[in-house]
Amino acid sequence: MAGNRHLQTLLRRGKKFNAKHGNGTKKPVYVRLIDFDRPDRNSFVAVNQMRFVRGASVRPDVTLLVNGLPLVHMEIKSLAQDNDWTDATSDLRDYEEAVPRLFFPALLNVAADTQSFRYGAVGAKPGFYFPWSKAPLKYQDENDLKQATQALLNPRTLLDIALNYVFYEEKEGGTAKIVPRHMQYYAVRRLLKRLREGDKKRGLIWHTQGSGKSFAMLYAAKNLLERSVLGSPQIFLIVDTDKLATQMGNTLSAIGFERSVVAKSIDHLQRLIEQGQSQLVLTTIQKFQDVATARQGNDEVVVMADEAHRFMERRLGNNLEAAMPDAYHFGFTGTPVHEGESDVARSTFRNYCPDGEPPLHHYSIRDGIEDEVILPVYFTLRHEAEWDVDEAAMDEAFDLELGHLSEEEKMKVVREALTPTDLGEFESRIEVYAGEVIDHYEKQVEPNGWKGMVVAPSRKSAALYGTKLQERRPDGDVEVLYTEGDGDEKLLSQFHTTSEERDDIISRFKDEAQPKLLVVHNMLLTGFDAPVLKTMYLDRRLKDHTLLQAIARTNRPADGKTNGE
């Protein structure tokens, strides 16, 4: 991958030479092997069965040459011969290992069969080959394979991706090359188009959870900082939790996003706004609570809000707009909110879709499932379990305490004194449902190597679930995560964890054998990606976008995983 990274950088930036002029002076010039600005000035050739020899010999089915450089390698299989696109990815990996230098100039690989088209970055595993299932009108075709080929591999798109849409991410085990998915690419192009036109200053990117909104925002930031879309813009990437800020900050570091800074405090954010330096600023929305108004130091500010439905219609969103009144605003969300037409009702569409226009780009749950970017999530109601209640003793105690009241007065007391949270914390109830969880997990989930998450209605109920589940499972199998409270009783304090301990538990849940079950109340219901998570045991009343965000934790693909539940 180091060779690919070096040569791709050379192709984008050009090679420096000291050119000698007629007067004897020397002047540095950069020579590019590819003209990215004018694609029609390059040579594009598709070669069938071109053999490459360097120690070993390989022969991809099709190689796309740009000015003689092999930019794309394609392997095509026939279903009639009992081979499909996954076999093609295996051949491509073999070619990469046999003649690695052949893939130094390569942007991406294509694996196809007579029904499917998939593409992936050089070095990608089969699980990271994706379809290119959407296309602009000029490239649309009834034949899906022809459409994908035209939409992705046309000269203009191919060179655009090579120049403006490639990251290299440092991970455990090595470097991974990142190229865009079609929804990311087309969403960013529409965002850039809106900024070039300049007549509207807002837009909504509505992409379902798990489709890669974070990288879509980073591609947008990269293009804005490196291309002449605006002059020298300042980009703000806004998240609404410290956890998401940490995750995004880690990603910026891993991909080497040089022109970026993380706002450390309210005062630091204030200085960054006033200085107006052309760079990407990562911050949480909460830091805008005490930022001074109208201190925008850059006339071209672009704000991209992650999970925009969660805060942009509220007070903190107003503070943000007051601090940078002339900014462009783009919202990214998988679950936009529309609670009504009144001015006080929350509406992501009203906030980001000027004049009632549709979203700039929409990628739905159905799109994600069809592209196999996410998995379907199936629902099973398990609410009819019987739990032990001494009704006679309860009635006796009730009459003893409230027998002097009328029936109407008694019902009023019940409604006011007994909340859903109280019901959810009945130990006898949790005893039964913990048994249901264990029975289902041990029969349906654990045998296939997957993990589970219990979502409890309160911190106390989470502690009770943790206690009951730990009694039934080996040490280390069950961990409980929730925020600490001052003066917590022993039942709750036994599961207190530090931030470092929580990070360790989450890391082990994703990558190691234990823990196998997590019990949570509020934590990890958004922004938590763990493909090993198959089943969510939901014992908490969630609705609307909060429910969709939570259950989407189970929809991440993994080898052998067919659905979440």
Side-chain angles (χ1 to χ4, degrees), residues 425 458-463 480-497 502 521 523:
E425 293 174 350
S458 67
R459 295 190 310 127
K460 180 178 179 180
S461 59
V480 183
L481 298 174
Y482 48 68
T483 54
E484 297 181 17
D486 293 335
D488 277 347
E489 59 181 300
K490 184 177 180 180
L491 173 65
L492 279 76
S493 64
Q494 66 176 319
F495 294 116
H496 284 182
T497 52
R502 289 192 291 271
H521 169 49
M523 286 186 176

Side-chain angles (χ1 to χ4, degrees), residues 209-210 213-214 239-241 243-248 306-307 309-310 453 506 510 522-530 546 548-553 556:
Q209 298 99 330
K213 291 188 295 298
S214 295
V239 297
D240 72 333
T241 67
K243 178 65 70 174
L244 290 177
T246 299
Q247 291 176 0
M248 184 64 78
D306 187 24
E307 304 297 356
H309 63 278
R310 290 213 290 259
M453 175 186 289
I506 291 168
K510 292 180 178 181
N522 278 329
M523 286 186 176
L524 308 185
L525 300 186
T526 61
F528 176 62
D529 290 336
T546 308
L548 289 174
Q549 292 243 317
I551 62 178
R553 300 311 102 204
R556 291 350 188 218

Side-chain angles (χ1 to χ4, degrees), residues 491-509:
L491 173 65
L492 279 76
S493 64
Q494 66 176 319
F495 294 116
H496 284 182
T497 52
T498 65
S499 176
E500 292 75 15
E501 289 170 336
R502 289 192 291 271
D503 289 342
D504 177 65
I505 290 170
I506 291 168
S507 177
R508 288 189 288 109
F509 182 81

Side-chain angles (χ1 to χ4, degrees), residues 162-317:
L163 182 63
N164 302 305
Y165 291 85
V166 175
F167 289 121
Y168 290 87
E169 185 176 17
E170 300 298 332
K171 297 182 174 182
E172 288 187 16
T175 305
K177 185 175 184 177
I178 311 293
V179 295
R181 302 171 185 176
H182 66 83
M183 80 293 291
Q184 297 167 331
Y185 179 70
Y186 291 131
V188 172
R189 284 179 60 85
R190 291 190 183 180
L191 184 152
L192 299 178
K193 183 174 184 288
R194 170 136 301 178
L195 290 169
R196 287 192 184 98
E197 292 172 345
D199 56 332
K200 296 179 180 178
K201 305 194 74 169
R202 295 176 180 272
L204 178 64
I205 308 299
W206 179 5
H207 285 187
T208 189
Q209 298 99 330
S211 59
K213 291 188 295 298
S214 295
F215 269 100
M217 289 187 288
L218 294 177
Y219 284 127
K222 174 181 171 67
N223 276 266
L224 288 170
L225 292 171
E226 296 180 0
R227 303 174 69 180
S228 300
V229 179
L230 299 174
S232 299
Q234 187 177 32
I235 319 298
F236 285 84
L237 201 163
I238 314 293
V239 297
D240 72 333
T241 67
D242 290 336
K243 178 65 70 174
L244 290 177
T246 299
Q247 291 176 0
M248 184 64 78
N250 290 340
T251 299
L252 288 171
S253 176
I255 64 176
F257 203 110
E258 295 178 356
R259 292 171 63 184
S260 65
V261 61
V262 179
K264 302 297 185 183
S265 65
I266 294 174
D267 289 340
H268 186 205
L269 176 60
Q270 180 78 60
R271 292 196 301 274
L272 292 170
I273 294 172
E274 293 175 355
Q275 292 166 359
Q277 182 177 342
S278 182
Q279 62 183 343
L280 173 64
V281 178
L282 172 64
T283 181
T284 60
I285 186 66
Q286 288 78 11
K287 288 187 174 67
F288 281 89
Q289 60 186 342
D290 291 319
V291 168
T293 61
R295 296 292 183 88
Q296 185 175 324
N298 188 316
D299 292 335
E300 297 177 317
V301 170
V302 179
V303 176
M304 293 185 289
D306 187 24
E307 304 297 356
H309 63 278
R310 290 213 290 259
F311 59 83
M312 284 308 298
E313 303 91 348
R314 297 178 177 174
R315 180 180 61 82
L316 289 173

